[in-house]
Amino acid sequence: MTGLPISYGIGLAALLFLMGFAGLVIRRNTLFILMCLEIMMNAAGLAFIVAGAQWQAADGNVMFILIITVAAAEAAIGLGLLLQLQKRFRTIDIDAASEMHG
Amino acid sequence: MEFTFFLAGIIALATTLRVITCANPVHALLYLIMSMLALAVDFYALGAAFAATLEVVVYAGAIMVLFLFVVMMLNLNNETVAREKSWMRPQLWTGPSIAAGLLLLAMIWALVTGSPASGRIVGTELSANEVGMALFGPYVVVVELSAFLLLAALAVAAHIGREDRDLAAEGAEHGERVTNHPGDH
Amino acid sequence: MSLLVFTLIFPLLGAISLSLFPRMADGTARTIGAASVGLSALSTAFVALFWFWSGGFPYITTLWQWISVGDFQVDFGLYLDGLSITMMGVITGVGFLIHLFAAWYMVHDLEGKPGMARFFAYMNLFIVAMLLLVLGDNLLLLYLGWEGVGLCSYLLIGYYYETPANAWAAFKAFLITRIGDVFLAIGLFLLYAVFGTLNIQAILHLAPQVWSEGDTLADIAALMLLLGACGKSAQLPLQTWLADAMAGPTPVSALIHAATMVTAGVYLIARTYGIFLLAPGIHELVGIIGAVTLLIAGFAALAQTDIKRAIAYSTMSQIGYMFLALGVGAWHAAIFHLMIHAFFKSLLFLTAGSVIIACHHEQNIFKMGGLRKKLPFDYWMFVIGGAALSALPLVTAGFYSKDAIIWLSLANGHAVLWLFSIIGAFITSVYTFRLIFIVFHGEQKTEAHAGRGLAHHVPLAVLAVLSTFIGALIGQPLAGVLPSGVVEGHPWIELFFEVVSSLVALGGLAVAMALYLGKRDFITKSVAKGRGAEAWQFFHNALGFDALYDRVFVKPYLAVTRAHRRDWIEAVVNVIPGLASALNTGLTVGQTGRVRTYTMVMFAGAAVLLALLMFG
């Protein structure tokens, strides 16, 4: 029996995605948070590619390209924010930027 | 093809685990790049050669290098690593990990109980030609929108990242205030 | 005759421009404020001239249709006849003089603080509302002006709102006059229900055809109008607000609480006299209310220490005379006294304002004393005004107007009311000269700086001239508008009673001289302790009406509300704010500002959605 069941590919994507999520919640360093976001987007991209391969369709790849675009935009803005955070608070601890004291 | 997929997948999982546990940002970045390269291999195994190329060139190549630049600008040192370690106490990460685990269980449950598509992925190659045809055919509006998104991101990044003297002064004041009252946070 | 509209437009423009640019320079604000009323007075003069030339017939101009709902049609119509001309003359003429004086007064009262534009905006708006009140050809338009003057009165009493007491005084005036207004509104509803129109002339025309004399509905309608008039004119039982209304700047007291607004009740009764003629019982009641009020207010004025409060009680008392005149059917005499009273009472108030400024905002008469030498101009102004108020014979205007009322009350067969009015005249004379002797005679107790400038002298001088017999020469074109109420008695009898009332006024002067000129030993000792002190306190509190109302109305009402503070309706109603507040607390807890918490919550939501997709 050749070939790969789709659930394997999606499972890998889910694992990667949840790792990214765990990192996002655990880390306080903004840089790591941004990296975790990249991991999560990558995982989402993997899911699209897997689905595209399952159906032999180009749509999955198109979505992946779209995700790369979003990731690039996000990285540019996120890193800009990171630099501003460093400049204003002298730290990249994301919790230091909490001023609401809810 | 299955073998390649599993091998690269395991590498991707392992390196990603290192990314979220590593204390040194530079090391974490390198692990992240490895994870992406491994994913690129996975894409290739699944037949998406064009996506694999993009993953290597754009993601691992361009975006990660941007991260690396920023890490260099932040001027990190051993002190940072020590502080990073102090932030990773078990009581901080057990809760989120359990939550993530639960969510994973839910997803696996969904995969198992859901009705999976019949047929298997054999990894037929999808040429860049087909992707391009789809991209500039039915998805041309999405391409236009991406262009808008990138332009907006460019403008925002330029705005956020600008050097502003008043802002710098204000930032200094602000920083002082924060350091004076660490108990606030 | 389109000039008639201009009398309204000028002050309206003034009020609008002053409220649109509240930060304009003080000088500009004063100029606009006074000039707009001056132009209005000029227009009134022209209107009056043209009106006399054209024969003096009632004139109606309908500007536009105001309300049109089904059968209910109300025009925005102005009605000009002898009565409205008289009232307009008083409002714009005396109003202009008071505005002119206010331009001097407010500079010294504000002492550079902001608020000049606000003051004149309110004053101009008041003139507009008051003119609407007297010009409206239907009761609804009259009611609009009625409420408008009430609003301006409220705003101006509370003009110095930084002091809580002033705000409370404004509140009190507003609420108590509102009680009267509610009755007036009921009266309007009743009249509309019966006659199907609110046009005053139509109602006066229809009333005798629909109602016979003494009809119950006519009684009720007249009573409602009377209660409305009582609220506005500070007559029993709604009289308690006027003395507290003195919290406003003195020109306000002169314009609103002496010359114009408080006489609106008199105007209302005179305007709707036909209804009162059909309700003889209520008509009688008008006179009784006036008589009782004039005595109560007179006694209260005897024991005041604040110069403005003393004059305020005398205003109440003089309006009592007007009500008495209306009650005995001496319609012309009532309106005549209204006009003369506007002259001498605004003179008294403005002079009091001048004295207060001269003594650096001192209002306690026992801290003034001996100001005759320092403020000779003010002294003579006050003496002229006071003489007119006490109706000293022959030379003063008050003599002609008030004695007409006193004589006509007797001539129309109301001996008891005549007795009240003659006692009132005596008391008036006593308290007026008590005020003059305490403030201007005796030893000097404070520094005083006389007011200077044309804006200070001219209004006082003009009003002083009008308060002498010259003012009494001003005729009023009331023939055909109101029945005259003049009864031809035997000339010798009339002369006899005029001499009697003159002697009473002079007697009051003599008593005041005996008590207050010189050492004042007798009066000081008799009010120092014991029954004298008690009586003094009783009179000082205006016969305890405030305390009475507090006990009869306010306290029980508060007790009822307190009893219901925690009843079940409250509990039911409180569920909604409680829910909102609980929700708010819950949401506030969520707003930690920590990105990671937000992420967790977001994923929890995602998990729930996933679960719903899977099992839903």
Side-chain angles (χ1 to χ4, degrees), chain A residues 78-89:
Chain A
L79 290 172
L81 285 173
L82 174 70
L83 288 177
Q84 283 292 329
L85 195 68
Q86 169 78 4
K87 206 189 277 176
R88 292 188 178 217
F89 292 90

Side-chain angles (χ1 to χ4, degrees), chain B residues 96 99 103 106-107 109-110 185, chain C residues 594 596 600 603 607 610 614-615:
Chain B
L103 211 55
M107 282 188 180
W109 175 263
H185 298 287
Chain C
R594 284 163 194 268
R596 294 182 304 157
M600 283 290 272
F603 270 85
L610 194 67
M614 276 160 57
F615 304 110

Side-chain angles (χ1 to χ4, degrees), chain C residues 243-268:
Chain C
D244 291 312
M246 294 302 121
T250 311
V252 172
S253 311
L255 178 62
I256 299 183
H257 305 119
T260 52
M261 186 189 86
V262 285
T263 57
V266 180
Y267 169 80
L268 177 72

Side-chain angles (χ1 to χ4, degrees), chain C residues 254-255 263 411 426 475 536 598:
Chain C
L255 178 62
T263 57
F426 177 72
W536 190 87
Y598 294 167

Side-chain angles (χ1 to χ4, degrees), chain B residues 136-148:
Chain B
F136 292 97
Y139 286 102
V140 70
V141 178
V142 175
V143 174
E144 290 293 334
L145 286 176
S146 316
F148 275 118

Side-chain angles (χ1 to χ4, degrees), chain C residues 307 348 365 369-372 379-387 390 429-442 509 512 516-517 520:
Chain C
I307 185 168
L348 280 174
I365 51 175
L371 292 173
R372 184 170 42 131
Y379 173 64
W380 285 110
M381 291 299 122
F382 212 92
V383 166
I384 294 170
S390 347
S429 195
V430 175
Y431 70 65
T432 309
F433 283 97
R434 163 183 177 269
L435 208 56
I436 292 174
F437 293 145
I438 290 177
V439 172
F440 290 100
H441 291 257
L509 169 60
Y516 293 102
L517 210 53
R520 297 177 203 157

